[in-house]
Amino acid sequence: MLESFFLVNLLIRRNCNRSRNQLVRRTRGIRYVMANRIPKQVEHLNDLIAISDVDCSENLRMTRGAFVRLCFLLRHVGGLTDSRYESVSNKVVLFLSVIAHHKKIRVVKFDFMRSGQTVSKHIHDVLNVVLKLHNILLVSPEPVDASCTNGWKWFKGCLGALDDTYIKVKVAETDKSRYRTRKCDITVNVLGVCDRNMKFIYVLSGWEGSTADCRVLRDAVNRRAMVNVLAGNFYLCDNGYTNGVRYHLNEWGEGSSVPQNSQEFFNMNYSKARNVIERTFGLLKKRWAILRSQTFCDIKIQNRVIMACALLHNFIRSELSIDPLEELLDEESDEEHEDDLDLDYIDVVEASQAWFDWRDNLACSMFNGWRGLN
């Protein structure tokens, strides 16, 4: 009887283990069969982009038409291709969701019902293709000419404005001292050059947060990828750079606060024009939440993401006649080329008395012209 009991018990346990293994195999098969998950993925994708332009803008920072044109550009110019279970549009949605809302991989894989490895691979594929299109997405500078009638009319030959901004990053403990700013934040120092329409002409990311602005600019001027500046043309900058101007935009207004001399009038117009780079940085960070806080990627990947955000910013500005995010900005926020040896390019950023004299003469002519009109 004892032997019979052990025999029956052994058979029961064997049957239970067999049933449990079969159940696990069936469950795993249902979980990882893509055909069972695709309808839900398509439904989620439609919820993000296909309902209205408002929903698409809130989720992906661009309208449905702009999203379609971006996918066309990445596919036919950048070379982004469909994979076995993912289309180009799905990959782009994954990437835009991450940089627009700074979602972690563990959150994205749950929302889109994909594995973390798949999400990471698609994000890097899109990132690499976006960076390949920098020659198309970065704009070429156009100097201010005599036809200009707005506040830029005083700065004939001006190509735009430049400045540095700090973007928080996550680095190894041994490198934090190099990336720490005077406010004790761990950041990279990003140089941005923009035109009058708040589009980036040049972006340089990678310098540590403790680096001085002039050193970053000097490195940018010496790089082959830097936009050449013809003699007679210039960019507006603040007093953190050589030949920069100290300005306080809120000092001038109506009545007794109007400029009383050429220097005050020059500084007022200079600060209004140069404020375009501050607004551009503000719009860039407002559009892409990933630039407003630290990420957990390698520092090289973080710098590539910063560049990609600037390129996509230019694309959106080109596609939208009215940028809804621009209306949210404060109006007074203050915070490959050819080697042509026949052209006289500016390749230094040292102090120049000639530029100081030119600035003073420009200030006098601006003030005299403004006083003649009044």
Side-chain angles (χ1 to χ4, degrees):
M1 291 179 62
L2 184 60
E3 292 178 356
S4 300
F5 173 77
F6 280 114
L7 182 59
V8 171
N9 189 26
L10 180 61
L11 292 174
I12 293 174
R13 292 178 59 184
R14 182 180 299 177
N15 291 334
C16 291
N17 291 335
R18 183 180 302 171
S19 300
R20 184 167 58 251
N21 293 335
Q22 291 176 353
L23 179 61
V24 170
R25 284 195 296 269
R26 288 197 300 267
T27 304
R28 289 178 176 175
I30 293 174
R31 183 180 179 183
Y32 289 101
V33 171
M34 290 300 300
N36 296 329
R37 303 170 65 188
I38 289 176
K40 294 183 178 180
Q41 295 173 358
V42 174
E43 181 181 357
H44 181 67
L45 183 64
N46 290 334
D47 291 340
L48 291 177
I49 64 175
I51 297 179
S52 67
D53 282 336
V54 175
D55 292 332
C56 188
S57 297
E58 291 178 351
N59 292 312
L60 306 181
R61 299 297 187 255
M62 63 184 70
T63 62
R64 291 175 293 178
F67 174 77
V68 171
R69 287 186 285 273
L70 176 62
C71 293
F72 181 88
L73 182 66
L74 296 178
R75 180 194 293 270
H76 296 282
V77 181
L80 187 64
T81 59
D82 298 330
S83 59
R84 183 177 181 182
Y85 295 112
E86 296 289 350
S87 64
V88 168
S89 59
N90 291 351
K91 295 179 180 181
V92 177
V93 168
L94 282 171
F95 180 74
L96 293 177
S97 297
V98 171
I99 64 174
H101 306 285
H102 195 190
K103 293 182 178 180
K104 293 182 171 60
I105 299 297
R106 67 187 69 175
V107 177
V108 176
K109 73 176 185 178
F110 177 79
D111 291 342
F112 290 85
M113 290 169 285
R114 291 164 176 83
S115 66
Q117 182 180 3
T118 300
V119 172
S120 179
K121 181 181 182 302
H122 294 336
I123 290 175
H124 282 83
D125 288 344
V126 178
L127 175 62
N128 293 333
V129 173
V130 170
L131 294 177
K132 286 171 56 178
L133 301 177
H134 68 277
N135 287 331
I136 298 175
L137 297 179
L138 290 176
V139 300
S140 299
E142 297 182 1
V144 177
D145 53 24
S147 62
C148 183
T149 57
N150 54 24
W152 289 87
K153 64 183 179 181
W154 306 106
F155 303 98
K156 300 296 188 298
C158 180
L159 300 174
L162 63 87
D163 200 3
D164 286 61
T165 188
Y166 295 107
I167 296 179
K168 294 182 180 181
V169 294
K170 190 175 184 63
V171 297
E173 194 69 30
T174 55
D175 297 330
K176 285 187 176 181
S177 59
R178 296 188 292 114
Y179 287 87
R180 183 173 287 111
T181 66
R182 63 180 182 274
K183 296 182 179 180
C184 296
D185 294 326
I186 307 301
T187 68
V188 289
N189 194 344
V190 181
L191 171 67
V193 184
C194 74
D195 63 1
R196 292 170 286 166
N197 299 318
M198 300 175 65
K199 297 180 183 178
F200 284 103
I201 299 171
Y202 180 80
V203 179
L204 175 62
S205 177
W207 278 95
E208 299 87 344
S210 60
T211 309
D213 293 350
C214 279
R215 184 178 180 183
V216 178
L217 179 60
R218 185 176 290 107
D219 176 51
V221 171
N222 293 329
R223 289 173 180 255
R224 291 181 57 85
M226 177 60 180
V227 178
N228 288 328
V229 183
L230 285 169
N233 297 132
F234 57 94
Y235 287 104
L236 305 182
C237 60
D238 62 10
N239 65 316
Y241 300 92
T242 305
N243 296 114
V245 179
R246 182 180 297 277
Y247 63 92
H248 300 284
L249 186 60
N250 56 0
E251 291 182 359
W252 295 286
E254 301 294 336
S256 60
S257 299
V258 298
Q260 302 298 318
N261 52 52
S262 61
Q263 292 183 346
E264 290 185 356
F265 184 74
F266 174 83
N267 284 357
M268 180 185 70
N269 288 279
Y270 188 98
S271 58
K272 287 182 178 180
R274 201 209 67 86
N275 194 47
V276 66
I277 185 61
E278 301 287 353
R279 291 175 54 79
T280 304
F281 279 138
L283 185 59
L284 179 70
K285 294 179 180 180
K286 187 177 292 294
R287 193 186 307 278
W288 310 118
I290 198 171
L291 304 181
R292 300 197 295 265
S293 58
Q294 294 177 338
T295 63
F296 294 90
C297 303
D298 181 77
I299 184 62
K300 293 182 179 180
I301 301 298
Q302 295 180 69
N303 287 317
R304 290 165 62 85
V305 169
I306 294 172
M307 296 288 295
C309 289
L311 295 176
L312 291 175
H313 165 87
N314 278 10
F315 174 81
I316 295 174
R317 294 285 297 178
S318 300
E319 291 292 328
L320 302 182
S321 57
I322 299 177
D323 193 342
L325 290 179
E326 186 178 353
E327 300 177 358
L328 303 178
L329 292 176
D330 185 4
E331 291 293 333
E332 296 180 356
S333 175
D334 190 22
E335 275 195 10
E336 282 165 330
H337 48 212
E338 300 175 350
D339 296 325
D340 195 339
L341 300 179
D342 295 331
L343 299 177
D344 185 13
Y345 288 112
I346 298 172
D347 58 357
V348 296
V349 291
E350 304 299 335
S352 171
Q353 186 60 42
W355 274 99
F356 283 119
D357 295 339
W358 177 88
R359 184 189 64 193
D360 294 339
N361 294 332
L362 176 61
C364 292
S365 62
M366 287 171 55
F367 184 70
N368 293 333
W370 172 72
R371 189 166 55 181
L373 294 175
N374 295 330

